[in-house]
């Protein structure tokens, strides 16, 4: 359930910035058709920072409804206040959500002890499986391997999405944790190398528009066939990189609209639409990757 290609799903909006049900349904069906392993709903790629908590819950529950038990749904439930993260996580207990993805607190830059106590409190106050999410470039704090090791002792903390892009982290974490603790890449550019070093999959931005390709890369990698995996990934390298020349999810939303997966590439302020120069680079990247309109 939590290995292979997991998509960090964008949150489609209409021209007025309201949630677009028809585009969300189309995206979910696209991922089911292309055998994506699971969907992360309202993670950071899903614009959790600019949705109200009411909207956040609405989008997760709508995703769950439209998926209709055809694909596991993981809810993003991170917050920079521990009480808010607990409240949001508890909201999804017994809802049918498979797990929660919990980003490290952002902006307030807690110490390692603060990070440990934060995730410990979430674990002790909820029953739903938790996947830790470490992305220092966006949050301003880094969940170190030693802290991950301590947290792995809680039975409902089942893995980590590691998005530093630092491949040396894998062995450092593996040396300190149990074998059944999941190591999932959060960086498309290095995801294949991450899996070759022992990771079990990727929570992917690229999969939003290249679901079949990301599924095949992960399937081959987890079978140990890295020659076939690399032959596909080679076509996607430029795309992996270009998706982050402006802050995520600006580029991926523009491409999803371009490829007819969503109706509009609307974002909530302070996020703005992709610049003309970025659009040209994205066009080049999808041509190189040979990604077709849906």
């Amino acid at each position: 359930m939590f290995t292979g290609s997991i998509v960090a799903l964008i949150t489609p909006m209409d021209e007025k910035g309201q949630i677009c049900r028809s585009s969300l349904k189309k995206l979910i069906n696209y991922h089911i058709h292309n055998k994506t392993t699971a969907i992360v709903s309202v993670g950071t790629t899903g614009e959790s920072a600019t949705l109200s908590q009411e909207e956040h819950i609405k989008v997760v529950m709508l995703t769950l409804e439209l998926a209709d038990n055809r694909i596991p749904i993981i809810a993003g439930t991170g917050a920079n206040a521990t009480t808010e993260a607990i409240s949001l996580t508890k909201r999804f207990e017994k809802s049918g959500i498979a797990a929660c993805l919990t980003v490290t607190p952002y902006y307030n830059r807690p110490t390692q002890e603060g990070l440990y106590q934060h995730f410990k409190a979430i674990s002790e106050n909820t029953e739903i499986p938790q996947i830790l999410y470490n992305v220092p470039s966006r949050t301003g704090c880094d969940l170190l391997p030693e802290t991950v090791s301590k947290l792995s002792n809680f039975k409902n903390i089942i893995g980590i999405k590691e998005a530093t892009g630092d491949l040396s982290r894998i062995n450092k974490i593996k040396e300190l944790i149990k074998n059944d603790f999941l190591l999932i890449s959060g960086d498309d550019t290095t995801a294949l190398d991450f899996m070759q070093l022992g990771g079990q999959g990727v929570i992917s931005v690229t999969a939003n528009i290249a679901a079949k390709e990301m599924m095949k890369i992960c399937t081959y990698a987890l079978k140990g066939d890295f020659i076939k995996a690399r032959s596909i990934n080679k076509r996607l390298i430029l795309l992996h990189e270009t998706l982050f020349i402006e802050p995520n999810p600006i580029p991926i939303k523009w491409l999803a609209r371009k490829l007819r997966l969503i109706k509009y590439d609307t974002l909530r302020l302070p996020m703005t639409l992709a610049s003309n120069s970025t659009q040209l680079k994205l066009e080049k990247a999808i041509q190189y990757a040979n990604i077709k309109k849906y």
Side-chain angles (χ1 to χ4, degrees):
M1 185 184 295
F2 304 120
T3 63
S5 177
I6 301 168
V7 64
L9 197 70
I10 55 176
T11 298
M13 301 174 186
D14 63 22
E15 69 274 26
K16 296 181 180 179
Q18 300 305 306
I19 308 308
C20 182
R21 180 188 177 99
S22 61
S23 289
L24 182 58
K25 182 177 181 179
K26 188 172 185 177
L27 283 173
I28 292 167
N29 288 336
Y30 166 75
H31 285 288
I32 291 167
H33 175 75
N34 287 293
K35 297 181 172 58
T36 297
T37 305
I39 289 171
V40 172
S41 178
V42 199
T44 49
T45 300
E47 295 174 80
S48 57
T50 53
L51 296 180
S52 69
Q53 187 169 107
E54 181 182 350
E55 288 175 315
H56 187 134
I57 294 167
K58 178 183 176 181
V59 174
V60 172
M61 296 308 291
L62 182 58
T63 303
L64 191 66
E65 174 194 333
L66 295 173
D68 193 24
N69 294 315
R70 294 175 295 162
I71 186 171
I73 307 300
I74 301 168
T77 56
N80 60 349
T82 305
T83 52
E84 184 179 348
I86 292 170
S87 173
L88 193 54
T89 303
K90 286 177 74 70
R91 177 62 181 79
F92 297 121
E93 286 186 339
K94 299 179 182 177
S95 66
I97 291 296
C100 288
L101 179 69
T102 313
V103 71
T104 54
Y106 42 88
Y107 185 77
N108 42 24
R109 300 176 64 193
T111 63
Q112 293 303 302
E113 179 62 19
L115 289 170
Y116 173 75
Q117 293 295 339
H118 172 79
F119 288 112
K120 176 177 180 286
I122 297 170
S123 174
E124 290 178 340
N125 283 278
T126 62
E127 296 179 0
I128 197 163
Q130 301 290 313
I131 300 171
L132 310 172
Y133 178 16
N134 187 37
V135 57
S137 64
R138 297 293 289 255
T139 63
C141 65
D142 189 0
L143 187 62
L144 297 179
E146 293 77 13
T147 308
V148 174
S149 175
K150 289 171 63 180
L151 290 168
S152 71
N153 292 316
F154 292 94
K155 66 178 182 179
N156 60 341
I157 296 180
I158 63 170
I160 184 169
K161 175 186 177 183
E162 177 58 56
T164 59
D166 178 3
L167 293 171
S168 69
R169 279 290 175 95
I170 303 167
N171 285 332
K172 290 176 184 176
I173 296 173
K174 285 179 71 177
E175 288 172 359
L176 297 169
I177 60 169
K178 304 182 294 288
N179 288 334
D180 59 349
F181 192 78
L182 293 168
L183 295 175
I184 304 169
S185 173
D187 178 61
D188 282 300
T189 303
T190 59
L192 181 52
D193 292 326
F194 187 100
M195 285 184 279
Q196 191 160 10
L197 290 169
Q200 289 103 344
V202 58
I203 294 178
S204 170
V205 175
T206 302
N208 276 282
I209 59 157
K212 182 184 291 186
E213 290 81 0
M214 290 305 299
M215 178 274 291
K216 287 183 176 179
I217 288 168
C218 290
T219 299
Y220 285 132
L222 294 176
K223 289 180 178 178
D225 192 342
F226 290 97
I227 294 175
K228 287 182 180 177
R230 289 194 183 283
S231 69
I232 301 170
N233 196 57
K234 185 178 179 180
R235 289 195 285 115
L236 299 186
I237 285 294
L238 181 60
L239 180 59
H240 295 328
E241 295 171 349
T242 309
L243 284 173
F244 291 89
I245 58 174
E246 288 191 36
N248 183 42
I250 293 171
I252 192 63
K253 268 201 158 177
W254 185 84
L255 273 180
R257 182 191 62 78
K258 179 76 176 177
L259 295 168
R260 299 177 185 167
L261 283 163
I262 59 176
K263 293 179 182 177
Y264 305 96
D265 55 344
T266 309
L267 298 116
R268 294 275 180 90
L269 286 171
M271 305 301 277
T272 53
L273 299 179
S275 66
N276 290 337
S277 62
T278 291
Q279 291 178 24
L280 291 173
K281 291 172 183 175
L282 290 168
E283 289 266 22
K284 180 180 177 181
I286 57 169
Q287 288 171 10
Y288 187 81
N290 195 29
I291 305 294
K292 305 298 182 183
K293 290 181 179 177
Y294 185 65

